[in-house]
Amino acid sequence: MSKKKNPYYPINQLCKVIDCEHKTAQYVEFSEYLVVRTNNVRNGILVLDNIKYTTKEGFIEWTQRAVPEYGDVFFTREAPAGETCLVPSGLKICMGQRMVLLRPNKDIINPHFLSFYLTSKECRREIYQYVIGSTVTRINIDDILQIKIFCPSIAEQEKIASFLGAVDTRLNQLRRKRELLQTYKRGVMQKLFSQEIRFKGAIGLPFPDWERKKLQEITKINQGLQIAISDRFTYQVEGGYFYITNEFLKPNSQTHYYILNPPKRVLCDKDDILMTRTGNTGQVVTDVVGAFHNNFFKIDYDRNKINKKFLLEFFKRDKIQYKILSLAGTSTIPDLNHDDFYNLEIFIPVLAEQKKIANFLTAIDRKIETLSRQIDQTEQFKKGLLQKLFV
């Protein structure tokens, strides 16, 4: 390689670029063989939440071109294009469709340095030059080969990688702590709502037995407005009401609608609970103020008998989510009707025990929120470092 200071080189001079098999692997419910798809690669991280599995035979067939190993880098070619992450150790992984594997020449470029650089703003701008498409972005493999990579001396790469690696170690520790807390909360919720764990009253006496109730006995629901998004909505309406649609349950939604003088029955405040009744049915949200769409139920309840946090956590349980989804049907757009909602049953304790359960779960939530803030702060710190290191 040239002795030029801080040179830039196309990827194909630094890495072996290995394309995926252009067909879908055979999926199975679970195995030790993982199939990484484009939605599993995000922001420099391998996301395992929605990972797919294949058979041993599928793994052998889908790794004929190369078996991904620690130090390789995944690169997505579509939906979206240009997401990257380092292949972790200890996993048997093959590539799904629309994926590329970068195998660095370790005599020239440090794999960790490459992985960090690919997530930097400087490199993202370089990648986006080759990206085509708007709704579904994609990049051709011939263009991937031409992406320029900043490649200082190996010694400098190793120092940068070591420094950023320490930040990543801290991030992984925080994420692991949050994951363990979330798992603990799911487990303890199951025991609380099945009454395997019970609280006691102020003087140590047991609370009364829980009562079986249908939701129609303890709640009422209102349905929202069914108004198409049109020019009657604007981004700034003085005195108007924020209009809540399913779009606002999506992360980082930038859509904002307002409506003037909606009927009082379709207004909610931060103490109300909204549940999606169509589409992604059964999702609950609270602490929102405004008018809401017909895709929601507003769940009214007697505050003197029902604790809001207790009711929210009841609806978030996997068991209840499964029941709601089964009642909503399996059509293209699932839809939960009033009668099915009202006939759902709940075992409910007295208000004092509800509050104890709510306070216990709230304390766990606060710890999770604290970890989430620390993760966000550390991620922002890392982004700042990447920007300063790769100018």
Side-chain angles (χ1 to χ4, degrees), residues 337-389:
N337 66 46
H338 297 70
D339 290 341
D340 286 338
F341 176 86
Y342 279 141
N343 283 322
L344 276 172
E345 289 186 332
I346 176 174
F347 279 93
I348 189 164
V350 295
L351 185 61
E353 189 172 2
Q354 289 180 44
K355 289 179 178 178
K356 288 212 169 191
I357 292 171
N359 291 339
F360 181 75
L361 295 175
T362 298
I364 299 174
D365 284 342
R366 285 174 180 160
K367 292 178 182 178
I368 293 171
E369 288 165 8
T370 298
L371 286 168
S372 294
R373 283 195 301 271
Q374 291 174 345
I375 290 168
D376 290 341
Q377 291 166 359
T378 309
E379 286 175 339
Q380 290 303 314
F381 175 66
K382 180 183 173 182
K383 285 180 182 178
L385 285 177
L386 285 167
Q387 190 169 352
K388 290 175 183 178
L389 288 167

Side-chain angles (χ1 to χ4, degrees), residues 58-159:
F59 175 78
I60 292 171
E61 183 176 354
W62 262 259
T63 55
Q64 289 184 70
R65 300 181 184 186
V67 178
E69 58 189 37
Y70 180 62
D72 292 341
V73 175
F74 287 129
F75 190 110
T76 64
R77 290 200 295 107
E78 190 175 322
E83 290 285 343
T84 63
C85 76
L86 196 71
V87 176
S89 61
L91 295 178
K92 296 177 181 178
I93 302 177
C94 62
M95 290 189 289
Q97 291 194 68
R98 300 180 290 277
M99 298 283 296
V100 165
L101 188 72
L102 307 179
R103 179 155 289 170
N105 181 341
K106 296 176 183 177
D107 293 330
I108 302 172
I109 189 160
N110 179 286
H112 293 83
F113 173 87
L114 174 64
S115 180
F116 287 129
Y117 181 71
L118 286 167
T119 63
S120 68
K121 279 190 175 181
E122 181 183 55
C123 191
R124 303 304 297 168
R125 286 193 295 268
E126 170 73 10
I127 292 171
Y128 291 152
Q129 293 182 66
Y130 299 102
V131 169
I132 54 179
S134 54
T135 305
V136 179
T137 59
R138 64 187 186 280
I139 185 171
N140 296 321
I141 192 163
D142 288 341
D143 292 326
I144 294 174
L145 302 178
Q146 302 307 313
I147 293 170
K148 300 292 191 302
I149 301 296
F150 174 59
C151 187
S153 69
I154 281 288
E156 185 175 353
Q157 290 179 45
E158 289 174 349
K159 285 183 179 180

